[in-house]
Amino acid sequence: MSDQGIEDRPLPSDDELIRFVNDQDHTPTVKEIARAFALKPHQRAILRKQLKSLASKGKLGNSQLGKSDSGKSQMGKNRPEQDQLEQELTTVMPLKITRVTHDGDYLAKPADDKLKTDAMIRIKSDRRKPLALTTGDEVLARLSPRGTSWFDARVIRVLPRTKRHIYGAVIRTSKGYLLENADRNARHNIDLLIPAEMDIVAGDFVEAELKQGRGYLNRTAEVVRRIGDSDNPNFSALAIAEHDLPNHFDEDVLAEAKSAKIPDTSGRTDIRDMKLVTIDGADARDFDDAVFAEPHPDGWRVVVAIADVAHYVPEGSALDREAQLRGNSVYLPEMVVPMLPEDLSNGLCSLRPDEDRACVVADMTIDNQGHKTGHRIYRALMRSHARLTYDDVEQVITHANTPASDQNLPQSVQNIDLSLISNLHAAFQCLSNERKERGALELNLAEKRIVFDAAGKATGITKRYQNTSQKIIEEMMILANVAAAETLESSDKLCVYRAHEPPDPARIDSLHDLCRTMGLSFAKGQVIRPADFNHLLHRAKTTCGDGDNQLLNETVLRCQSQANYRITNPGHYGLGLIRYAHFTSPIRRYSDLMVHRSLMGESKTDAETAAETCQQISDTERRAASAERRSIDRYAASLVADETGHIMAGKVISITGFGAFVELIDHSTEGLLPLAQMPPDYYHVDTTRGTMRGDRNGIEVKTGDQIDVMIMSVTPIKGSVLLSWADGGIDGENSTAGKPKGQLSRRRMKKPPHKKNRGAKKLSKQRQKS
């Protein structure tokens, strides 16, 4: 019921506030105090000022204004152990931004990591001189105390983003040591100091701290720690360090995980007899979803059981704080940095076969066209009946019409009822039809994976496209995610949406230009639906070559906006869905854990805090993607580290303004062929069409072409492979006369025509006449 028209209650007096705070056995938040005095939400700002005034005047005794776990202001007891640290907060000092609040203010901490304090430092936003700061930025600010452990700060200037800590490999020289910077854009090595007590040798990966110096070339760095040794380079460990990924759990977090127990059936539906199975990759260790399907009147019943992580990770616990900090698990080529300790992620929360597990179930029905006709979500106790792999299920589906005696089925499926898989496949076909009907975006892109031998050394790269068994799980997870979003929306509960906005019109313009060069029609200036992209890709598949197809798929992907997490709902453009949330992976995504808590009525997070958390976990998701990408690039480069000077066949995958990116066919490693390493000529580059053409020599290279290249240099730690044109041309054509195959060439730029200064010439003639 609305409270409009009801008069505001008067604010409590100072004496009433002091008595209330002192009578509490815990640290009350502003919200709790407001609730105790029956104040309305809009009165909290005045109450907060009143509390701060009392604290600054010392009228609350040993009380202070601080921060609660949810980030709100609170009253609490002063901690003597912080006194000395807080006295070190000088009037002017560098600060690092830790959070951007809902009202545009900034929370900060001292930039010096050695100065640890719980004092709250707030930088108020100035509308007259707005600051565009983000988490991690540093500023020089003037601090003003406003109470015990509470400071206001005014920005004097924004400090340049300089990295104090850098990462790289140690190089031994006759004069000492250098650091080969792992940053791909770093062009120079740095003088390196190694402390006498550290056993560092050439080739080791290290973290180093930059010392004060003038100019980059005169900088010196000192080793802080060793990340990996030279005998077996671990690029994943390097990515963990340079992306600041938390990869160790504190003792209190591990203790909470170890103390977790599987619940009984109290308050849960017992579905242990249901023939649920897990389907994952062969190397998967955490199984957070199990599926089951059976015929239903006019359609199918689809059951998706998800690990009940919220049962084991209470809101506000040490486990919860650590999971929120990490945001998600990070999947690197040869290791995983989990969001939760292994006792949970690979233990009680993993739906292992023949073991009782707590779960949250999305029990749904669909019609024969794949439309969802009903659903309910409930807590249950389940038991997985089989652990299947994508390859095993794919083999069963492929040989579905082959007599059982001739199938030679994998061991994992020989002891189960194969109708479990056939039912899942039949339900998937209905869901697939519905997906086509709503026009979800369909891109045909491969996933790269690094292959390691028993010793942990990278030996190759595999490229895999999505098969039917993976699509079965994907469609059933999408169905469950939609059911979760609809449930929260219909009950007016807080929902963390997976948001995906429509493409940027400027990017659509570049796609339109590309289509025009390919002879494909793609109108711009209209509302572009995902189905329009699908029709375009389908036409290209039937009329264009592999190179144009690849270029078009990647261009369509680049057109798309980046998905993120929000508490508002713009819909999911790529999937063609009005409402969508992530519900099916709470072991590895904090967003899903937030959704589970809302569904179970266990979330105490307010909208403002939830919005800030959504921003934070969107950032950690991007950080994880960057760490994975850099690790793969480095391992891929290491595969050809011993091939310098060799000529290899490659496939042009993209054209840029400075050259071409080429994938070496035998290794799937990508390298850069700069214009400077092409045969001598001036090259006209068309990045929209994906071509570069010599002005005189007639050489034209376009996306999809197979060419011969020579490996000039490889820098694994940067993930860099530099290539040169190997004469012989494209598929043996366009060779340069008089040069043997494999000879390197320099690029000779054709100088642009000189522009005559007509004004100067005219003035000269006038002087001659005079």
Side-chain angles (χ1 to χ4, degrees):
M1 183 177 68
S2 172
D3 59 2
Q4 290 183 354
I6 302 176
E7 293 185 2
D8 293 351
R9 286 183 176 270
L11 288 166
S13 66
D14 290 353
D15 290 339
E16 288 174 326
L17 279 176
I18 293 170
R19 280 198 302 272
F20 176 81
V21 171
N22 291 336
D23 288 343
Q24 303 305 305
D25 58 357
H26 68 290
T27 312
T29 64
V30 172
K31 183 186 288 186
E32 290 173 336
I33 298 173
R35 190 181 296 118
F37 289 98
L39 302 179
K40 295 181 182 178
H42 70 267
Q43 293 179 283
R44 291 179 193 165
I46 305 173
L47 174 65
R48 188 177 286 109
K49 289 182 180 179
Q50 185 180 1
L51 291 168
K52 291 178 179 178
S53 176
L54 287 172
S56 65
K57 294 175 183 177
K59 291 186 177 181
L60 288 174
N62 291 328
S63 298
Q64 68 174 22
L65 271 174
K67 281 177 58 182
S68 68
D69 289 338
S70 64
K72 294 293 186 180
S73 296
Q74 67 178 14
M75 306 300 299
K77 294 181 178 179
N78 192 19
R79 289 171 292 178
E81 65 271 16
Q82 289 294 323
D83 289 350
Q84 183 178 355
L85 288 171
E86 287 160 9
Q87 288 173 3
E88 295 182 33
L89 297 181
T90 58
T91 304
V92 176
M93 68 184 306
L95 301 176
K96 178 182 287 187
I97 305 300
T98 58
R99 197 176 66 178
V100 183
T101 67
H102 189 65
D103 55 5
D105 291 347
Y106 303 96
L107 298 184
K109 68 175 184 179
D112 185 355
D113 292 334
K114 296 177 182 178
L115 185 59
K116 298 184 182 296
T117 175
D118 286 341
M120 185 177 78
I121 303 173
R122 180 182 289 267
I123 301 172
K124 299 287 272 184
S125 58
D126 187 346
R127 294 184 179 180
R128 294 170 298 176
K129 297 180 180 179
L131 296 171
L133 300 176
T134 187
T135 302
D137 284 347
E138 294 188 3
V139 299
L140 185 67
R142 185 181 302 278
L143 275 64
S144 303
R146 287 291 178 266
T148 309
S149 298
W150 172 47
F151 296 83
D152 275 350
R154 181 177 63 82
V155 174
I156 298 173
R157 69 173 183 270
V158 179
L159 299 176
R161 273 184 169 266
T162 57
K163 292 183 178 180
R164 285 195 176 92
H165 287 240
I166 56 177
Y167 305 87
V170 177
I171 301 174
R172 180 69 184 266
T173 70
S174 59
K175 297 181 179 180
Y177 291 94
L178 296 175
L179 181 72
E180 183 179 31
N181 200 326
D183 188 341
R184 180 174 283 173
N185 297 319
R187 298 183 178 275
H188 304 283
N189 297 329
I190 299 174
D191 289 333
L192 188 65
L193 302 176
I194 300 178
E197 67 274 12
M198 299 188 72
D199 184 20
I200 303 293
V201 299
D204 284 353
F205 292 167
V206 298
E207 176 183 355
E209 183 177 11
L210 281 172
K211 297 299 181 182
Q212 296 294 331
R214 296 178 64 84
Y216 184 84
L217 292 178
N218 296 323
R219 300 297 291 272
T220 301
E222 182 175 1
V223 175
V224 176
R225 63 182 172 121
R226 181 168 61 180
I227 299 169
D229 58 57
S230 57
D231 295 334
N232 189 14
N234 188 328
F235 294 113
S236 293
L238 178 61
I240 289 172
E242 67 181 351
H243 288 84
D244 198 20
L245 298 175
N247 67 325
H248 295 290
F249 291 102
D250 291 339
E251 289 300 323
D252 57 341
V253 177
L254 294 173
E256 285 187 5
K258 281 187 177 295
S259 65
K261 304 293 182 185
I262 298 174
D264 55 26
T265 56
S266 177
R268 296 178 181 271
T269 304
D270 190 343
I271 59 171
R272 285 176 287 185
D273 290 335
M274 185 182 292
K275 303 292 185 181
L276 287 156
V277 297
T278 62
I279 306 175
D280 294 275
D283 56 352
R285 297 174 62 192
D286 54 340
F287 314 125
D288 48 14
D289 59 81
V291 292
F292 170 78
E294 64 180 358
H296 186 270
D298 300 321
W300 292 88
R301 178 193 184 195
V302 177
V303 179
V304 175
I306 305 298
D308 190 358
V309 177
H311 170 77
Y312 301 108
V313 185
E315 193 171 48
S317 64
L319 271 169
D320 179 47
R321 291 193 297 271
E322 184 67 23
Q324 181 179 343
L325 174 68
R326 295 177 179 231
N328 45 261
S329 296
V330 184
Y331 292 84
L332 300 172
E334 83 281 36
M335 63 185 298
V336 176
V337 181
M339 186 180 79
L340 298 171
E342 286 199 8
D343 285 325
L344 291 180
S345 60
N346 297 341
L348 294 185
C349 292
S350 186
L351 308 181
R352 300 192 295 213
D354 302 320
E355 296 183 22
D356 290 354
R357 287 291 184 264
C359 64
V360 178
V361 176
D363 199 333
M364 303 159 288
T365 55
I366 60 173
D367 61 23
N368 287 318
Q369 286 72 46
H371 302 108
K372 184 166 64 64
T373 56
H375 74 267
R376 62 192 184 99
I377 295 178
Y378 53 89
R379 272 183 158 146
L381 194 67
M382 63 155 287
R383 176 173 288 200
S384 171
H385 286 254
R387 182 269 199 263
L388 307 179
T389 68
Y390 291 124
D391 291 340
D392 294 344
V393 173
E394 190 72 18
Q395 188 170 338
V396 172
I397 294 171
T398 304
H399 297 90
N401 297 322
T402 305
S405 58
D406 299 333
Q407 287 186 10
N408 191 24
L409 295 175
Q411 182 67 34
S412 63
V413 298
Q414 288 181 4
N415 298 323
I416 69 168
D417 183 356
L418 294 183
S419 65
L420 293 174
I421 296 176
S422 61
N423 285 345
L424 289 170
H425 186 228
F428 155 73
Q429 289 176 315
C430 298
L431 293 171
S432 182
N433 291 334
E434 192 274 338
R435 180 187 179 103
K436 292 177 182 176
E437 180 184 313
R438 71 173 186 268
L441 188 61
E442 302 287 352
L443 291 173
N444 186 29
L445 299 170
E447 177 189 7
K448 281 186 178 182
R449 303 195 73 175
I450 305 295
V451 179
F452 295 90
D453 60 17
K457 183 179 180 180
T459 58
I461 300 177
T462 60
K463 296 176 68 174
R464 296 193 62 173
Y465 291 89
Q466 199 176 39
N467 59 24
T468 302
S469 60
Q470 291 169 314
K471 291 178 182 178
I472 288 174
I473 297 302
E474 179 186 28
E475 288 305 317
M476 292 186 175
M477 298 305 109
I478 291 174
L479 185 67
N481 288 335
V482 171
E486 289 180 352
T487 299
L488 291 175
E489 204 169 271
S490 63
S491 58
D492 200 25
K493 291 182 179 178
L494 181 70
C495 181
V496 175
Y497 294 97
R498 181 61 169 175
H500 186 222
E501 298 271 15
D504 183 347
R507 297 181 181 180
I508 296 294
D509 289 345
S510 64
L511 176 63
H512 169 77
D513 294 338
L514 174 63
C515 291
R516 187 175 56 189
T517 65
M518 291 182 175
L520 299 170
S521 61
F522 189 73
K524 63 178 181 178
Q526 62 180 11
V527 177
I528 307 296
R529 302 167 302 161
D532 297 323
F533 288 117
N534 293 339
H535 295 325
L536 173 65
L537 294 172
H538 178 72
R539 292 200 309 272
K541 192 174 182 180
T542 57
T543 60
C544 301
D546 290 343
D548 286 346
N549 256 311
Q550 177 181 334
L551 177 60
L552 194 60
N553 268 273
E554 292 176 352
T555 306
V556 169
L557 178 63
R558 287 195 295 270
C559 283
Q560 307 308 312
S561 60
Q562 191 168 38
N564 55 28
Y565 295 106
R566 303 182 195 173
I567 60 171
T568 55
N569 179 27
H572 197 290
Y573 177 83
L575 293 175
L577 293 168
I578 298 174
R579 56 190 66 84
Y580 190 67
H582 273 168
F583 158 77
T584 55
S585 297
I587 292 179
R588 59 186 178 89
R589 290 191 304 234
Y590 192 77
S591 59
D592 304 49
L593 180 54
M594 294 176 71
V595 168
H596 276 233
R597 287 178 179 146
S598 288
L599 288 168
M600 298 299 111
E602 296 173 351
S603 176
K604 300 176 183 176
T605 303
D606 58 41
E608 180 181 356
T609 304
E612 292 172 359
T613 303
C614 285
Q615 178 61 53
Q616 182 238 327
I617 60 179
S618 295
D619 291 341
T620 60
E621 180 185 41
R622 288 190 287 272
R623 178 181 66 178
S626 175
E628 180 182 2
R629 185 169 56 250
R630 290 294 286 136
S631 298
I632 290 176
D633 288 346
R634 286 165 174 157
Y635 277 117
S638 70
L639 294 174
V640 295
D642 298 329
E643 303 287 346
T644 303
H646 291 190
I647 296 175
M648 294 186 177
K651 183 178 181 181
V652 180
I653 56 175
S654 66
I655 301 291
T656 70
F658 47 83
F661 282 99
V662 179
E663 182 180 87
L664 302 177
I665 294 175
D666 290 342
H667 296 84
S668 294
T669 298
E670 294 180 13
L672 172 64
L673 172 61
L675 289 174
Q677 296 299 335
M678 290 292 292
D681 205 345
Y682 178 81
Y683 287 86
H684 301 274
V685 178
D686 187 339
T687 55
T688 300
R689 191 180 177 187
T691 62
M692 55 184 189
R693 177 177 53 82
D695 191 58
R696 296 190 179 117
N697 60 22
I699 293 178
E700 182 177 25
V701 178
K702 59 182 182 296
T703 303
D705 280 349
Q706 183 170 321
I707 62 176
D708 289 334
V709 291
M710 176 178 283
I711 298 178
M712 292 284 291
S713 66
V714 179
T715 313
I717 198 168
K718 293 179 183 289
S720 171
V721 179
L722 181 65
L723 306 174
S724 176
W725 175 272
D727 291 336
I730 303 168
D731 291 332
E733 301 173 359
N734 294 329
S735 60
T736 305
K739 293 185 180 179
K741 185 178 177 67
Q743 183 173 339
L744 306 184
S745 305
R746 293 182 180 178
R747 172 186 177 230
R748 187 186 307 129
M749 291 291 294
K750 176 184 176 183
K751 294 182 180 180
H754 178 67
K755 292 183 179 180
K756 297 180 179 179
N757 192 332
R758 295 184 177 179
K761 187 175 181 180
K762 185 176 181 180
L763 180 61
S764 175
K765 288 183 177 180
Q766 289 176 348
R767 287 175 176 172
Q768 289 176 2
K769 290 180 180 179
S770 62

